[in-house]
Amino acid sequence: MADPITQAKHTARVLIGEARARRLVGHGFWCMFRMAQSARRRAASLPRPAPPALPIQPELFA
């Protein structure tokens, strides 16, 4: 399973594409657009994972 940030970004991309497709027909554009916006906000508000820790170098402690 992907991390939550990547998943929220993917959801936003899919929903904005769906909103663009519906814009021409007029059915559900605003609903899909709002869902995409909320997915973008969710991706921006999620905490970023910490960078991996550097490995211990035992020669520094000798």
Side-chain angles (χ1 to χ4, degrees):
M1 187 76 164
D3 63 286
I5 295 171
T6 306
Q7 185 175 0
K9 285 180 183 178
H10 173 73
T11 302
R13 285 188 200 107
V14 168
L15 291 176
I16 201 70
E18 183 70 21
R20 285 183 182 140
R22 289 174 184 239
R23 180 177 51 195
L24 300 175
V25 185
H27 297 292
F29 167 75
W30 289 111
C31 176
M32 296 305 275
F33 185 76
R34 283 188 212 103
M35 289 169 58
Q37 287 294 91
S38 67
R40 287 181 61 210
R41 281 191 215 101
R42 187 170 45 250
S45 69
L46 289 171
R48 301 282 178 216
L54 297 174
I56 295 176
Q57 299 173 348
E59 63 273 4
L60 296 177
F61 300 99

